[in-house]
Amino acid sequence: MSANLKYLSLGILVFQTTSLVLTMRYSRTFKEEGPRYLSSTAVVVAEILKIMACIVLVYKDSQCSLRALNRILRDEILNKPMETIKLAIPSGIYTLQNNLLYVALSNLDAATYQVTYQLKILTTALFSVSMLGKKLGVYQWLSLVILMAGVAFVQWPSDTQELDSKALSAGSQFVGLMAVLTACFSSGFAGVYFEKILKETKQSVWIRNIQLGFFGSVFGLMGVYVYDGELVSQNGFFQGYNRLTWAVVALQCLLPGSHPCNSSYFPIRLRPQACRQPHQSIGGAARRARREPAGLLRAQGGVAALHTVQMVENMNVQLKSLSM
């Protein structure tokens, strides 16, 4: 694979990530006539779109055969209820995380949110050490401490705090900060838990995403009914939706969790032939990723703990180069 393609893919990934943050922030603060769209419904729509996208990918991997698609979905999802139920825990956490990110961006500016949300690297590393037995070196821990210090400096009061407070008068910065910190911890735990599940099974990533999307839609609809049921009954499920809203939903579908989302686990394979086997081992994909670090990207970090360690190792290289 040419280096240009790798850098192009990385550039597209960065562009999509930043676009999601900026458009989501703008959509939550833009003032227009009529009711604002409900973030809880946007989360549900994004999950449904993810399911549809993954079904299309499984259909393509099945040589575009509806019979083969039906067989795979039945054998891998319906006939394995225990394997499917395992995804309920990370799916519920991801759904909570997606809703929290809407709350955070409604109360924080995009730059503060983006920098603070990088604490998910620290939380993922901590959970990978405690749950998966990963070992980090001294330079890796030092890199994480520097990351934490950088986030603390971003939150440090400045002379422009009064102006920023006026600009963010529509919401509370404290609420936004708590929301993004909770999302960081939930992202770290769910990512490592999901990696543990992937290592124990041989189901394809697309099947796992369908399972995640199903539970995410169920939990999301429950949230809509509990928190926004009255508003939905008055103005409809798609109240306040416009082109900008659909752009946010589409970006969230491409980058779950985009994401936010991580929100969900949605890898981008730079080698198309690696996705042609719908039942390939995820452990094998992870081993190949260790040999080819640029060969596997995830919307929010690759196989969670593996790519967190890789990101920390990249920071270590930069630190060593500066110390020379």
Side-chain angles (χ1 to χ4, degrees):
M1 183 193 310
S2 65
N4 292 333
L5 180 58
K6 295 179 182 179
Y7 288 119
L8 176 62
S9 302
L10 181 60
I12 294 174
L13 185 65
V14 172
F15 174 77
Q16 290 178 324
T17 305
T18 54
S19 298
L20 174 61
V21 174
L22 294 175
T23 53
M24 187 182 295
R25 166 65 181 171
Y26 183 72
S27 68
R28 298 306 295 171
T29 57
F30 179 71
K31 296 181 180 180
E32 60 179 352
E33 297 181 358
R36 179 184 298 175
Y37 77 93
L38 302 175
S39 59
S40 58
T41 63
V43 171
V44 174
V45 173
E47 293 296 330
I48 295 175
L49 291 179
K50 291 174 193 175
I51 295 175
M52 295 172 60
C54 289
I55 290 177
V56 171
L57 292 171
V58 175
Y59 174 73
K60 183 179 179 181
D61 288 340
S62 306
Q63 287 74 44
C64 299
S65 172
L66 290 176
R67 180 176 298 179
L69 173 64
N70 181 64
R71 177 180 55 81
I72 292 174
L73 295 179
R74 183 179 63 253
D75 294 343
E76 297 296 327
I77 299 179
L78 297 180
N79 293 342
K80 296 180 179 180
M82 296 306 299
E83 293 294 329
T84 301
I85 292 176
K86 288 181 180 179
L87 272 297
I89 295 177
S91 180
I93 297 176
Y94 281 135
T95 304
L96 173 64
Q97 173 189 332
N98 286 335
N99 283 280
L100 287 174
L101 294 185
Y102 275 101
V103 175
L105 279 170
S106 299
N107 296 278
L108 294 174
D109 61 272
T112 302
Y113 161 83
Q114 188 75 310
V115 174
T116 307
Y117 192 47
Q118 300 313 307
L119 278 178
K120 65 184 178 182
I121 300 176
L122 174 63
T123 59
T124 304
L126 294 176
F127 282 117
S128 65
V129 170
S130 60
M131 297 174 61
L132 299 178
K134 298 282 186 178
K135 294 184 179 180
L136 302 181
V138 176
Y139 284 106
Q140 293 169 329
W141 284 114
L142 177 61
S143 302
L144 293 173
V145 171
I146 293 175
L147 171 66
M148 185 172 59
V151 174
F153 280 126
V154 169
Q155 299 296 335
W156 195 268
S158 63
D159 295 336
T160 59
Q161 185 178 13
E162 183 177 353
L163 296 177
D164 294 338
S165 299
K166 293 180 179 179
L168 297 174
S169 59
S172 170
Q173 294 188 46
F174 178 77
V175 172
L177 179 61
M178 290 298 101
V180 73
L181 290 178
T182 305
C184 288
F185 279 94
S186 63
S187 175
F189 175 79
V192 175
Y193 182 87
F194 191 36
E195 180 191 0
K196 188 174 182 180
I197 293 177
L198 291 176
K199 287 184 175 181
E200 295 174 352
T201 61
K202 296 183 178 181
Q203 288 181 312
S204 72
V205 177
W206 312 128
I207 295 296
R208 286 304 193 184
N209 270 282
I210 294 174
Q211 295 168 326
L212 280 174
F214 169 75
F215 286 112
S217 301
V218 173
F219 290 131
L221 287 173
M222 292 172 59
V224 172
Y225 176 78
V226 173
Y227 295 102
D228 298 318
E230 184 176 352
L231 293 175
V232 171
S233 62
Q234 292 177 356
N235 302 311
F237 189 87
F238 294 101
Q239 59 177 291
Y241 274 60
N242 51 32
R243 293 181 180 179
L244 181 61
T245 307
W246 285 110
V248 171
V249 172
L251 288 171
Q252 213 176 12
C253 179
L254 292 174
L255 294 173
S258 340
H259 87 175
C261 269
N262 99 356
S263 113
S264 303
Y265 185 90
F266 201 94
I268 302 173
R269 288 294 303 185
L270 300 183
R271 294 180 180 268
Q273 61 268 28
C275 290
R276 291 177 183 171
Q277 298 297 330
H279 304 290
Q280 65 178 350
S281 171
I282 300 301
R287 287 191 294 272
R288 286 192 297 274
R290 294 188 184 97
R291 294 195 299 268
E292 304 176 23
L296 179 62
L297 297 176
R298 198 191 80 158
Q300 297 218 357
V303 178
L306 169 64
H307 285 270
T308 298
V309 174
Q310 289 178 349
M311 293 174 67
V312 173
E313 288 175 349
N314 292 336
M315 296 174 65
N316 294 337
V317 173
Q318 296 178 1
L319 288 173
K320 290 180 181 178
S321 63
L322 291 174
S323 62
M324 292 181 179

